[in-house]
Amino acid sequence: MAEFEVATGSAGVPEGEDRGRRAAVQTAFEGLLEIRRLMNADAADPEGVPAEWERRQPVRAVALALEAAGVPPSATGADGRRTATGYCLGAAERTGVVRVEWLGPPRSGAGYAAEDALRNCAAVLRRLGWEALEYRGPRRHRYLEVEPPPAGPSRR
């Protein structure tokens, strides 16, 4: 059986028919919540705090959270050109921080939609205990930097 592949928005759309993909994403996300319940048993809200697994693989964890919430990933074709509008994730300059951008094909309007789309992404991630801050880069390009909150004294 193939390993579940998260959609980071920086490659092609993961394979699988829509209903099958949605089911796989939901199963993976439910597994993530179970990991949180088990690993964060000492937290007031175990599901509301990223688990150690997420801290070690933040891009995968953020991608899974966004896709499970119904936020569409961007995608690229074999030629490297954007074929879909949505989130695109990658590692930020600081270790453990995820950069979230809203990208799409040329003339797709992704730049105009970025403000609202990124606010939605931030809201989804904050509900799951992530810290998300919006920034503007060159040419006023919006993006988020997402990271888990500092680990508490009982976490290592």
Side-chain angles (χ1 to χ4, degrees):
M1 177 178 241
E3 180 180 323
F4 176 78
E5 189 59 43
V6 296
T8 63
S10 57
V13 176
E15 303 226 356
E17 46 116 349
D18 285 345
R19 252 187 25 227
R21 175 71 188 175
R22 282 193 301 270
V25 167
Q26 278 310 122
T27 298
F29 186 69
E30 288 168 14
L32 175 78
L33 293 178
E34 183 63 23
I35 289 170
R36 283 182 169 204
R37 284 189 290 273
L38 293 171
M39 301 306 293
N40 297 331
D42 58 339
D45 177 14
E47 290 184 8
V49 181
E52 188 60 33
W53 175 88
E54 295 168 273
R55 292 172 183 276
R56 288 192 314 266
Q57 299 183 65
V59 171
R60 288 182 56 83
V62 168
L64 180 57
L66 291 175
E67 192 174 2
V71 180
S74 183
T76 58
D79 61 0
R81 293 183 190 183
R82 292 255 158 235
T83 59
T85 299
Y87 66 81
C88 184
L89 310 179
E93 290 180 15
R94 292 183 295 130
T95 303
V97 179
V98 179
R99 183 178 171 126
V100 181
E101 298 177 88
W102 192 259
L103 303 176
R107 295 178 298 285
S108 66
Y112 295 108
E115 182 176 7
D116 290 339
L118 289 173
R119 281 193 182 141
N120 179 52
C121 291
V124 165
L125 295 167
R126 286 181 184 131
R127 282 192 300 270
L128 292 168
W130 293 89
E131 295 178 356
L133 296 174
E134 182 180 321
Y135 294 95
R136 287 189 185 191
R139 296 186 312 272
R140 300 177 51 85
H141 176 76
R142 295 174 185 271
Y143 64 94
L144 300 176
E145 285 197 353
V146 179
E147 63 186 316
S154 64
R155 305 227 193 289
R156 295 186 201 268

